[in-house]
Amino acid sequence: VITVTTSVSFSAAHDYRREEWSDDKNRAVFGLCANPEGHGHNYRVLVTVSGPVDLETGMVINFDQLHPLLISCVTAELDHVYLNRQIPFFASRIPTLENVALYLWQRLSPEIAALGVTLTRIRVYEHDDLFVDYDGFLGETAAA
Ligand SMILES: [Zn+2]
């Protein structure tokens, strides 16, 4: 299997809080991220797809098809938004890095399938030294 990976970025705000918890419990579990005024990150999303190499083009997918899709589904929708407040997926889920990866998988998987390739992995960076990988299997039921 050959995989192809490209990346896009977005900057967004979020906070980690459970409204049914006390302020003390939110601070104990989520630390500074529980600040209800929020904070921001510059996220980097690596999207990996796989498929057969086309005999005519020599490509799994044309970058000119994949990259605009990521700009429209990731950057255009998430850049400079407050994830908790503006993205319905996060109305009931804390926008942790893990849940951002689950969201992106749900958002991108059908769009990428429509291009004739398979979404294989989503990697989301919150910092250079912190990222999550999602392969579409673990936690899928939790995302439903
Ligand atoms: Zn954060």
Side-chain angles (χ1 to χ4, degrees):
V1 173
I2 294 186
T3 65
V4 176
T5 301
T6 188
S7 72
V8 288
S9 299
F10 66 95
S11 300
H14 68 183
D15 62 80
Y16 292 0
R17 289 181 62 80
R18 299 206 66 85
E19 291 305 324
E20 70 272 27
W21 289 359
S22 67
D23 285 347
D24 284 347
K25 183 168 181 182
N26 271 300
R27 272 194 297 272
V29 174
F30 297 126
L32 291 174
C33 293
N35 177 358
E37 300 307 318
H39 62 279
H41 295 284
N42 296 316
Y43 293 92
R44 185 157 174 254
V45 180
L46 277 69
V47 175
T48 300
V49 304
S50 61
V53 178
D54 184 276
L55 289 174
E56 288 184 315
T57 66
M59 301 176 190
V60 169
I61 187 167
N62 192 320
F63 178 80
D64 290 341
Q65 286 180 284
L66 182 58
H67 203 255
L69 176 70
L70 301 184
I71 294 294
S72 65
C73 295
V74 181
T75 307
E77 294 182 6
L78 300 181
D79 196 39
H80 288 74
V81 306
Y82 201 122
L83 296 173
N84 307 62
R85 300 173 189 175
Q86 293 175 262
I87 303 298
F89 184 89
F90 299 114
S92 59
R93 298 171 186 84
I94 295 170
T96 57
L97 204 46
E98 292 87 338
N99 279 333
V100 170
L102 291 172
Y103 167 79
L104 289 169
W105 186 277
Q106 289 193 354
R107 181 70 185 87
L108 290 172
S109 184
E111 305 279 349
I112 285 172
L115 296 179
V117 292
T118 302
L119 180 58
T120 304
R121 190 186 73 192
I122 298 272
R123 173 172 288 183
V124 190
Y125 284 87
E126 199 173 83
H127 303 287
D128 287 345
D129 59 357
L130 178 63
F131 64 87
V132 301
D133 283 327
Y134 183 49
D135 63 6
F137 296 103
L138 290 174
E140 190 159 41
T141 54

